[in-house]
Amino acid sequence: MGKIVLEMNDISKSFGATQALDEIHFSLQEGEVHALLGENGAGKSTLIKVLGGVIQPDKGEIIIRGKKVSITNVEEAQRLGIGIIHQEIVLVPYLSITENIFLGREILTPLHTRDLKAMNSFAEEVTGKLGLNVDVTTPVGELSIAQQQMVEIVKAISFNVNILVMDEPTSSLSEEDVKVLFETIRKLQQENVSIIYISHRMEELFEISQRITVIRDGKYVDTVRTSETTKDELVANMVGRSLTQYYTRVYNDLSNSDEVFRAENIESEGIFSDVSFSVRKGEILGFAGLVGAGRSEIMLSIFGAIPISSGKMFLKGKPYNSTIPLKSIDKRIALVPEDRKKQGLVLVNSVSFNITLASIGTYIKSLFINGREKNAAVEQLIKELNIKTQSSDTLVSSLSGGNQQKVVLAKWLNTFPELLILDEPTRGVDVGAKSEIYAIINMLAKEGMAIILVSSDLPEIINMCDNVCVVHEGKIVKQLAREELSQESIMQYATGGIVL
């Protein structure tokens, strides 16, 4: 056992009648990666906010390196060596790497002007140490998502952090970027930095963590050594039951299935080119590839959000070319976008408002909204998709990530699509909600809906798709049948390792 650097004992916190944390225990050893695991809404974020000084607990104690402390604000947490890297990157895009690292605490010359030379020198030293070989005067907005995340890490450790929290750090990263991140984490461990790692991706936890603590419904469940547990045990602890069938898929006989959509050599200049594929009723067609390969852009072109410069599209055998999403919706095409918070939901509005946002026109009769018909449709979708909400009037921002995603799905199912495009449908969603979403997707395919599934989660692609298009640098480089699917074969084509 390593030296204990952090203990959180009997941490409790309530918000009104909601008990967010109920006597939670957590400890962290020096140089350890300790994963914090739980469903959306289990209390992980609240616990981290307590550690980071954002909120104060109602009860409990925090001990750092043997000394009981009171963390009353973010500045106090930083002074104690605690740094938090949030899931959403919070850098200023038009400022340089150096300026972001020193934002609000610039090094000053004797004349009280910014000492850019000293700041650049420090930034170069730390970024080089972690393998980020980029000019530190580069504006952050010009960096890739992976590089921006590295800047976040550099910024955190520049506060002399020895306890670092990483919240879903790989949610927007490619497989190659994840490898770089893990190398960085191992370098930090060698410097005796202790890391609290939050992720829903089980395979990551088994690769990078030494211990895993599971919390459920705000309560401590168990702490286990990663090498001494299994995915099934962790899932059972998270959801309070065994998930006998994580991926749900009943494969349809597609031999006589009608074609719903076909693309022939479509191109959007400078984005993707020579893209051809088709999808049939009851088929789940996967799109795999690295982040930035052009998968999402191809989907946006089908939906009318990105214009195509050449090629042809056909919907149920008839020529189709949408220039605006409204036209696509009228043609019974729906797109669940990859970023539910920015592109899929109006967070300040209710569950009911969001579910009917794309279909409100169907409830308007003689200039008035038929409230009874609208409410009945909303309640039916809440029930069918098992959306956990107090009522249809609840603000969607208050729901867990998995339930928010189901609201987005409900919104588009309420347009009764014939072609449903799902872009990263389970990103940032816990295993319980994932299994429910997979069951919904399977049900829709079984009922004959044509589905395109875009995902960076290769096990998801392999276990849910009939056929898979692999995209590399804006082109479909290979179409794989279900019997050909493996993580190795997909990655070989996705990285350009195999040239046809």
Side-chain angles (χ1 to χ4, degrees):
M1 294 289 289
K3 182 165 66 175
I4 300 293
V5 296
L6 169 68
E7 293 175 83
M8 301 181 77
N9 300 321
D10 299 318
I11 302 294
S12 297
K13 179 66 181 179
S14 63
F15 299 97
T18 303
Q19 188 72 39
L21 299 175
D22 188 2
E23 298 188 344
I24 292 281
H25 299 275
F26 186 84
S27 68
L28 186 63
Q29 299 172 17
E30 188 172 74
E32 173 189 36
V33 176
H34 191 152
L36 184 59
L37 188 62
E39 292 190 273
N40 291 114
K44 303 186 300 295
S45 296
T46 305
L47 185 65
I48 294 310
K49 286 177 181 177
V50 169
L51 179 62
V54 177
I55 60 175
Q56 304 303 304
D58 300 328
K59 175 188 170 186
E61 64 177 9
I62 300 175
I63 300 171
I64 293 180
R65 299 190 182 277
K67 182 181 178 182
K68 185 176 177 179
V69 299
S70 177
I71 307 175
T72 56
N73 52 53
V74 174
E75 289 74 21
E76 180 64 17
Q78 290 173 344
R79 190 185 67 77
L80 291 167
I82 299 166
I84 299 177
I85 300 172
H86 298 281
Q87 185 175 354
E88 285 85 15
I89 290 172
V90 289
L91 301 171
V92 182
Y94 57 82
L95 294 182
S96 70
I97 293 172
T98 296
E99 288 169 322
N100 270 279
I101 291 171
F102 285 97
L103 190 62
R105 56 190 183 100
E106 291 82 357
I107 298 174
L108 301 178
T109 68
L111 296 175
H112 291 279
T113 58
R114 290 191 309 165
D115 192 341
L116 272 175
K117 184 177 180 182
M119 291 192 293
N120 283 333
S121 178
F122 176 87
E124 286 172 0
E125 180 184 347
V126 184
T127 53
K129 197 174 183 181
L130 291 182
L132 179 61
N133 300 313
V134 181
D135 184 349
V136 295
T137 64
T138 304
V140 161
E142 295 180 10
L143 304 179
S144 67
I145 294 296
Q147 290 171 324
Q148 289 183 32
Q149 193 167 65
M150 292 292 285
V151 174
E152 289 270 31
I153 295 172
V154 170
K155 184 177 180 178
I157 65 174
S158 70
F159 283 92
N160 295 318
V161 157
N162 46 56
I163 296 172
L164 183 61
V165 181
M166 294 184 170
D167 188 358
E168 295 286 354
T170 63
S171 61
S172 299
L173 301 185
S174 68
E175 295 281 333
E176 291 303 310
D177 291 334
V178 171
K179 289 178 184 177
V180 173
L181 175 66
F182 285 179
E183 287 172 9
T184 302
I185 288 173
R186 293 184 181 107
K187 288 177 184 176
L188 293 172
Q189 285 183 273
Q190 291 169 6
E191 299 289 330
N192 289 326
V193 175
S194 306
I195 297 170
I196 301 173
Y197 191 92
I198 301 172
S199 178
H200 292 122
R201 296 184 177 181
M202 292 285 188
E203 64 276 10
E204 293 179 4
L205 306 190
F206 284 99
E207 182 173 347
I208 201 66
S209 72
Q210 285 74 60
R211 288 192 296 163
I212 301 171
T213 287
V214 180
I215 61 176
R216 182 174 72 243
D217 298 329
K219 292 182 172 65
Y220 172 85
V221 177
D222 199 9
T223 297
V224 295
R225 288 185 178 278
T226 309
S227 59
E228 296 174 359
T229 191
T230 65
K231 178 180 175 180
D232 288 342
E233 288 175 352
L234 292 173
V235 169
N237 278 334
M238 282 176 65
V239 302
R241 66 189 190 281
S242 295
L243 288 179
T244 54
Q245 206 168 10
Y246 184 54
Y247 295 103
T248 302
R249 186 69 219 275
V250 177
Y251 293 93
N252 299 318
D253 180 4
L254 300 173
S255 56
N256 296 312
S257 186
D258 293 337
E259 179 184 88
V260 174
F261 177 84
R262 182 168 84 254
E264 292 183 357
N265 309 112
I266 61 171
E267 176 178 358
S268 183
E269 198 169 343
I271 303 174
F272 60 83
S273 63
D274 196 26
V275 169
S276 299
F277 66 92
S278 66
V279 58
R280 295 163 285 181
K281 288 184 67 174
E283 178 181 11
I284 301 178
L285 176 66
F287 266 72
L290 302 181
V291 173
R295 299 166 303 165
S296 296
E297 289 77 7
I298 294 169
M299 300 306 125
L300 287 169
S301 72
I302 298 171
F303 195 57
I306 291 179
I308 63 167
S309 48
S310 64
K312 296 178 181 179
M313 293 190 288
F314 298 88
L315 190 62
K316 296 169 70 173
K318 296 179 180 179
Y320 160 80
N321 185 15
S322 176
T323 52
I324 55 170
L326 277 175
K327 182 179 177 182
S328 301
I329 296 170
D330 288 342
K331 293 289 186 180
R332 311 277 290 278
I333 295 175
L335 169 64
V336 174
E338 62 175 330
D339 191 330
R340 61 178 169 269
K341 290 186 177 179
K342 291 182 181 178
Q343 302 167 312
L345 296 168
V346 181
L347 293 170
V348 296
N349 249 306
S350 68
V351 170
S352 176
F353 175 90
N354 276 277
I355 288 178
T356 56
L357 187 59
S359 55
I360 193 65
T362 62
Y363 304 108
I364 297 175
K365 313 291 183 186
S366 302
L367 301 179
F368 294 97
I369 294 176
N370 187 329
R372 181 180 294 180
E373 187 178 328
K374 177 176 82 74
N375 293 337
V378 168
E379 293 301 329
Q380 183 178 347
L381 283 162
I382 288 174
K383 183 178 179 181
E384 287 180 356
L385 273 60
N386 191 28
I387 300 171
K388 295 181 178 66
T389 178
Q390 288 185 335
S391 78
S392 61
D393 294 324
T394 300
L395 287 183
V396 77
S397 59
S398 68
L399 304 186
S400 69
N403 285 298
Q404 287 183 0
Q405 188 70 353
K406 286 192 275 186
V407 170
V408 180
L409 191 53
K411 176 178 76 173
W412 289 112
L413 292 182
N414 207 34
T415 65
F416 300 97
E418 294 181 341
L419 172 62
L420 177 63
I421 302 170
L422 303 169
D423 196 349
E424 302 287 1
T426 64
R427 174 175 285 170
V429 170
D430 63 68
V431 291
K434 273 188 177 183
S435 67
E436 289 184 304
I437 290 171
Y438 294 145
I440 293 166
I441 294 170
N442 178 70
M443 175 192 71
L444 296 172
K446 193 175 177 182
E447 291 175 352
M449 190 177 292
I451 298 172
I452 299 176
L453 174 60
V454 180
S455 179
S456 300
D457 186 333
L458 294 186
E460 181 171 283
I461 285 283
I462 291 167
N463 285 281
M464 292 301 297
C465 296
D466 295 282
N467 300 286
V468 174
C469 296
V470 185
V471 183
H472 174 68
E473 295 183 347
K475 293 178 184 259
I476 294 177
V477 293
K478 182 66 175 178
Q479 294 196 35
L480 296 167
R482 177 157 57 98
E483 57 272 15
E484 299 176 287
L485 295 177
S486 70
Q487 294 201 38
E488 292 75 19
S489 63
I490 292 172
M491 285 306 297
Q492 279 182 317
Y493 288 105
T495 57
I498 298 178
V499 181
L500 300 181

